[in-house]
Structures are given as C-alpha cells and as structure tokens.
C-alpha cells in the first residue's frame, strides 16, 4: 500500500524561528491535507491542498503532486504552534492514510 | 456553532460488552469517517461514509460496525470489544462526498479491560 512519510519526526524550535515540515507519499493521490493536533488532543485542519501553494497567516503549504511531496512552513513560530503535525492523503481507492506526524515543541 | 460532537469523551468497559460511540455533525456534511489513534501507529481509518446509506471499510475495519441512516449521525459500534480495541477514537466530517477539508470531533478515549 501507499507509504506516507513525514520528516523530521521531532522538531524543537526557539520562539520566533522558522521551520519546514515535509510529507512524502509513494503513490499518486486524490488530495492531501495537513492537520495540527494540539497538546490537548484536538485535531484542527490547517490546509486542504491537493496541489499548489496556500497561505494562512504564519503558515503556508505547498504540494507538488507530480513529485509526491508536500511541505508545511511555519514562520515566526509561537508556543501555541506546539503539538503534532500530520499530513493525510486520500488514495485512489478513496481511503485516507496518515503520516506518523512531526512533533513540534516551541520554547519561549 | 458548527461542530462534530462525539460521545462519550471517556469510556471504560469490559471485554465482550457491546458499546456504541456516537458522532453527530450539524454542518450538513456529506462525508463522515472514523479513525483510531494509537501511539507509534498514528491515525488509521476504520470506516467512512460518502452519503446516507453508503459506508465503506477503511484500513482497520475488523471488530467494528457503522451505520449511516441519517446524514448527521454516524455511530461506531463495537459488538464484542476486546483489549486490542483500547484506543483514542476520532470522528470527522467534510462538506463534500469525499475527504475534503476534514472537521474532527474531540475524541473518545476507550479502555477495554
């Protein structure tokens, strides 16, 4: 089946720093989403991004479907950005596969 | 307020005792789905529904049942729970009949003793 790999697995940032998270997938997909799971367990959709680039405040995402990867950029990180970031792809059989996540810790 | 509501938030039960976790959305969404989250394994899809009366298996459907009799409700049924079903469960919905932007419920922590 499809492999969804996220890197790095863990990231420690000083407040104000910028970072890039990566999601690679091994097969063609229908679409891709990024989520943030906060320290209380709540999952929030950040981007629905099958292709191209989107921005939302300090966050932006780029998906290059032909090369099978997506990037999530966090600029000027804040402590509230801490948590786990997941990418998820909808496969051609309409099932959803998640990556293992990147755990981000932002220190004040 | 637009939301996906799961109940209960926490549940402790014993092996073999049938249980239902409810999921309801008030956004008139077409697509609903269930996931379990386990340490080291991430989130895995159990079942999904693209519309009323249409349900399909995800990657880990064994031991679970679902139904979609109404658009707003998508309950998860464990007919005979076992300890390996101890997990954190999430319900999610999206506007269209496929996994577009997903909105998640708050989760249900299930422990099967």
């Amino acid at each position: 089946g499809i492999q969804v790999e996220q890197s790095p697995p863990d990231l420690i940032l000083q407040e104000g720093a910028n970072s890039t998270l990566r999601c690679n997938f091994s097969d063609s997909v229908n679409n891709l989403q990024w989520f943030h799971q906060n320290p209380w367990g709540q999952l929030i959709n950040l981007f629905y991004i099958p292709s191209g680039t989107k921005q939302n405040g300090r966050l932006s995402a780029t998906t290059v479907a032909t090369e099978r990867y997506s990037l999530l950029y966090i600029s000027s990180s804040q402590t509230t950005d801490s948590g786990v970031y997941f990418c998820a792809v909808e496969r051609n059989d309409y099932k959803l596969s998640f990556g293992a996540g990147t755990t981000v810790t932002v220190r004040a | 307020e637009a939301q996906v509501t799961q109940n209960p938030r926490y549940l402790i039960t014993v092996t073999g005792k049938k249980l239902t976790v409810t999921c309801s959305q008030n956004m008139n969404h077409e697509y609903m789905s269930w996931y379990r989250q386990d340490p080291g394994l991430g989130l895995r899809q159990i079942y999904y529904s693209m519309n009323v009366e249409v349900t399909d298996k995800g990657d880990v459907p064994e031991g679970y049942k679902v139904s979609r009799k109404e658009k707003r409700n998508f309950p998860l049924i464990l007919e005979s729970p076992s300890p390996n079903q101890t997990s954190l469960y999430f319900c999610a919905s999206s506007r269209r009949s496929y996994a577009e932007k997903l909105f998640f419920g708050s989760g249900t922590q299930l422990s099967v003793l």
Side-chain angles (χ1 to χ4, degrees):
Chain A
I2 194 170
Q3 303 299 314
V4 183
E5 296 178 347
Q6 291 187 242
S7 60
D10 299 281
L11 191 58
I12 299 175
L13 300 170
Q14 203 62 36
E15 199 168 28
N18 303 325
S19 63
T20 301
L21 283 59
R22 188 176 181 100
C23 175
N24 292 335
F25 42 98
S26 61
D27 203 351
S28 62
V29 298
N30 294 337
N31 59 62
L32 183 144
Q33 305 183 52
W34 283 97
F35 300 93
H36 175 224
Q37 188 170 36
N38 66 25
W40 297 271
Q42 182 68 28
L43 280 158
I44 304 295
N45 189 288
L46 298 175
F47 295 101
Y48 171 76
I49 185 165
S51 63
T53 297
K54 291 186 177 180
Q55 180 153 9
N56 184 1
R58 297 181 295 101
L59 300 180
S60 63
T62 295
T63 296
V64 184
T66 53
E67 297 188 21
R68 299 179 184 169
Y69 73 89
S70 183
L71 302 174
L72 178 70
Y73 305 96
I74 305 174
S75 65
S76 304
S77 58
Q78 300 178 358
T79 55
T80 53
D81 294 330
S82 295
V84 185
Y85 290 81
F86 292 101
C87 67
V89 300
E90 185 186 68
R91 302 166 352 212
N92 294 330
D93 61 2
Y94 302 105
K95 293 179 172 58
L96 215 65
S97 289
F98 285 75
T102 293
T103 300
V104 173
T105 303
V106 181
R107 294 182 172 162
Chain B
E1 180 189 354
Q3 59 186 359
V4 178
T5 303
Q6 284 181 239
N7 280 297
R9 185 75 176 88
Y10 302 94
L11 180 58
I12 300 174
T13 189
V14 295
T15 299
K17 186 175 181 182
K18 181 180 178 180
L19 66 91
T20 300
V21 184
T22 63
C23 175
S24 179
Q25 50 90 8
N26 62 0
M27 297 170 281
N28 201 36
H29 282 179
E30 300 285 341
Y31 182 98
M32 297 186 75
S33 52
W34 277 101
Y35 307 86
R36 61 178 290 172
Q37 184 175 21
D38 302 289
L41 295 176
L43 284 126
R44 294 177 291 168
Q45 189 178 49
I46 303 171
Y47 270 96
Y48 64 98
S49 169
M50 291 183 170
N51 214 325
V52 176
E53 301 291 2
V54 178
T55 62
D56 281 292
K57 296 177 181 178
D59 286 329
V60 288
E62 296 78 18
Y64 304 96
K65 284 177 58 176
V66 293
S67 67
R68 188 94 182 271
K69 293 183 171 57
E70 306 166 282
K71 198 172 189 179
R72 64 181 292 128
N73 295 322
F74 192 46
L76 180 69
I77 304 160
L78 284 70
E79 294 268 2
S80 183
S82 62
N84 64 12
Q85 293 179 295
T86 293
S87 187
L88 178 58
Y89 291 86
F90 286 98
C91 177
S93 70
S94 69
R95 184 170 58 97
R96 298 188 183 178
S97 60
Y98 57 92
E100 198 194 34
K101 180 176 178 177
L102 283 173
F103 291 83
F104 279 87
S106 298
T108 296
Q109 181 63 59
L110 172 65
S111 295
V112 183
L113 306 178

